[in-house]
Amino acid sequence: MKGWKSYLSVLTAGVLGVSLTACGGSAGGKGSAEGSDGGALTVSIWDNNQLAGLTEIMGDFTEKTGIGVEIQVVPWDQYWTLLEAGAQGGTLPDVFWMHSNYSQKFMSNDMLLDLTDKVALSETIDMANYYEDIAQLYQLDGKIYGIPKDYDTIGLWYNKKMFDEAGLDYPDESWTWQTLAETAKKLTREDGSQYGFVSPASYNQDGYYNLIYSMGGSVLSEDKKQSMWDSPETKKAMQWWYDNLVTVCMPSQQVMGETSSDILFSSGKAAMVMQGSWMVAAYKANEYTDANCDVAVLPKAEDGNQISIYNGLGWAAAAEGDRTEDAWKLLEYLGSKEAQTKQAQLGVTMSAYKGTSDTWVSCAPEFNLQAFLDMSEKMVIRPYSRNTKAWEDYSQETMVKAYTGEMPMDAICEDIAAYMNKQLAEEN
């Protein structure tokens, strides 16, 4: 567990301040499927929007196996702190979500159950059935530590009511980034009552990463050894982002820092926002967005290049859990074509199992969800390395200085690249 315990000994002091109710998931929600054995597997996730659908899927598993399941929803900010502390104390949940920002750290420190031999013997799981980039997120040194759960793409959400009132055409596949900027400017009111576009400094996968890659830039070299933040293409894209969007049609960074973009959008303060397919359930449940909003494909560069940054979660199990065989049975079921198809049908998310997400577009017929599937043809995996969180946190925090005008964008990009290269050198 190279260095993990020493890292967590510092972390634990902060964990003690987190309530036990949050640890148990009541802060976010809880769902269960009782089994005949009376001892439920514990499953941790962070998105309450997925709870209802996943509870139904877990119920199917319990019916088939007699193994009960209890889902605990822990908010994102607490989720990783509690998982890391649980790894030190031997109290990890039996099964839990894994994310690309953390997977390399968890895998390299022997915290996740090695599934390699189990997958090889399984008649249900064939890794070739999943999107290759997602599968690789949860593999290290030839070993498998996670079963792909889903994948997500980014779309351009827009307020039809605002477009209609302004007499503007809705976004469509002909839009370029310049079209977005010009339209957003027309939809921005000087009194601050309405903004044409919202995307905070911290939004990368569902923000400026899509622009960078569509304009020929990148964030990380293919061999994951070099930052590309200081490349001419990336700096040019980010300067365009600043000049045409940040300073023209967005709220101040202070406003966006205090109120998330989805709240600004769903309260009728923002005309457009880029967000992922994971937001469908929330926008469907919101009365305002359900009645007034829709989604389109992302804009393209002037040369026609159109990119969506994508990512996907994995289902993982604790390496030192008390019920690793039962945990594997659950992972095997969750990765099956049956469960992944139902996940899409219920509108939980698009599924990582190829060919199972077509029915997902029908889960919210009021929205053009086909836009997310269309972006599946133009995907680039979210940049990651062995310690993504370190350099990504730094880049998001530093980008605030560009948004507020404290530092020029060119210098920001070079600063992020310098920090990132130090982190990558330590990884390699």
Side-chain angles (χ1 to χ4, degrees):
M1 303 273 287
K2 299 170 277 186
W4 191 254
K5 288 189 177 180
S6 60
Y7 166 74
L8 283 170
S9 63
V10 177
L11 181 70
T12 305
V15 175
L16 294 177
V18 179
S19 71
L20 291 177
T21 56
C23 186
S26 59
K30 185 179 289 186
S32 63
E34 293 300 329
S36 59
D37 61 358
L41 288 171
T42 55
V43 175
S44 285
I45 66 173
W46 60 74
D47 185 358
N48 202 52
N49 289 316
Q50 298 191 34
L51 179 60
L54 289 179
T55 298
E56 185 170 335
I57 291 170
M58 299 298 179
D60 294 342
F61 169 75
T62 298
E63 258 189 62
K64 292 175 181 293
T65 64
I67 300 170
V69 178
E70 180 179 309
I71 305 176
Q72 304 165 332
V73 183
V74 182
W76 170 271
D77 290 341
Q78 298 171 18
Y79 184 89
W80 299 105
T81 303
L82 293 173
L83 276 195
E84 290 167 343
Q88 182 187 32
T91 56
L92 281 171
D94 297 306
V95 171
F96 43 91
W97 280 354
M98 188 49 50
H99 187 279
S100 60
N101 279 15
Y102 293 84
S103 59
Q104 296 283 324
K105 180 181 287 188
F106 275 66
M107 292 187 294
S108 61
N109 286 282
D110 304 322
M111 295 166 55
L112 305 184
L113 182 65
D114 182 356
L115 307 174
T116 313
D117 292 340
K118 298 179 185 297
V119 169
L121 295 172
S122 176
E123 296 181 1
T124 302
I125 302 297
D126 180 348
M127 300 307 287
N129 288 326
Y130 307 100
Y131 288 98
E132 183 179 1
D133 285 332
I134 303 300
Q136 288 180 350
L137 292 176
Y138 308 107
Q139 298 181 31
L140 182 67
D141 298 332
K143 294 184 177 181
I144 300 169
Y145 293 93
I147 302 300
K149 174 190 177 291
D150 55 34
Y151 82 103
D152 50 57
T153 58
I154 310 301
L156 179 63
W157 290 88
Y158 62 95
N159 188 310
K160 295 184 292 183
K161 180 180 179 182
M162 291 181 184
F163 273 75
D164 291 342
E165 290 174 349
L168 298 172
D169 293 334
Y170 297 157
D172 61 25
E173 64 280 355
S174 71
W175 270 37
T176 64
W177 289 102
Q178 192 61 42
T179 314
L180 169 64
E182 292 170 358
T183 306
K185 184 177 181 180
K186 293 175 183 176
L187 289 165
T188 300
R189 296 176 181 167
E190 291 185 5
D191 64 1
S193 62
Q194 179 176 302
Y195 299 97
F197 185 67
V198 176
S199 188
S202 60
Y203 279 35
N204 47 34
Q205 182 193 350
D206 44 357
Y208 41 77
Y209 275 6
N210 300 279
L211 175 81
I212 289 172
Y213 280 82
S214 69
M215 289 191 172
S218 58
V219 171
L220 180 65
S221 63
E222 290 188 15
D223 63 6
K224 304 186 186 301
K225 294 183 178 180
Q226 185 77 22
S227 173
M228 300 301 292
W229 265 104
D230 56 353
S231 70
E233 296 82 2
T234 299
K235 292 202 296 188
K236 181 179 179 181
M238 288 306 297
Q239 190 62 54
W240 186 95
W241 178 268
Y242 180 78
D243 292 340
N244 292 276
L245 295 174
V246 175
T247 60
V248 177
C249 57
M250 289 195 205
S252 68
Q253 176 57 36
Q254 180 179 351
V255 170
M256 292 188 288
E258 294 172 350
T259 308
S260 64
S261 62
D262 59 300
I263 297 299
L264 289 169
F265 184 65
S266 60
S267 61
K269 293 280 288 183
M272 290 181 284
V273 61
M274 285 196 299
Q275 286 185 322
S277 47
W278 60 82
M279 286 301 299
V280 171
Y283 284 157
K284 181 177 181 179
N286 180 278
E287 185 176 341
Y288 182 86
T289 49
D290 187 63
N292 296 296
C293 301
D294 204 349
V295 62
V297 294
L298 290 181
K300 55 191 175 184
E302 294 302 321
D303 64 0
N305 195 33
Q306 184 185 42
I307 295 294
S308 169
I309 303 301
Y310 84 114
N311 196 25
L313 305 185
W315 286 108
E320 298 178 4
D322 295 330
R323 301 176 61 187
T324 54
E325 287 306 312
D326 285 345
W328 162 245
K329 289 178 183 177
L330 178 56
L331 294 183
E332 188 176 37
Y333 179 71
L334 292 171
S336 68
K337 186 175 183 179
E338 175 187 345
Q340 295 254 317
T341 299
K342 187 162 187 176
Q343 176 177 248
Q345 289 174 336
L346 292 174
V348 178
T349 53
M350 296 190 293
S351 293
Y353 196 109
K354 296 176 186 175
T356 61
S357 293
D358 289 348
T359 57
W360 178 78
V361 299
S362 301
C363 74
E366 60 269 53
F367 301 138
N368 174 34
L369 300 190
Q370 184 62 42
F372 290 110
L373 289 184
D374 290 346
M375 292 309 304
S376 300
E377 304 300 318
K378 301 150 187 176
M379 300 188 299
V380 170
I381 193 68
R382 177 176 174 156
Y384 71 95
S385 68
R386 289 204 174 216
N387 193 13
T388 309
K389 189 175 187 303
W391 53 261
E392 188 174 86
D393 283 356
Y394 183 83
S395 68
Q396 291 172 317
E397 293 163 5
T398 305
M399 187 57 65
V400 172
K401 297 178 182 178
Y403 271 53
T404 58
E406 184 178 341
M407 287 177 64
M409 183 60 77
D410 187 82
I412 290 290
C413 292
E414 292 181 359
D415 185 288
I416 293 172
Y419 180 88
M420 192 171 166
N421 282 327
K422 287 182 181 179
Q423 296 297 317
L424 293 171
E426 292 178 8
E427 292 181 21
N428 296 295

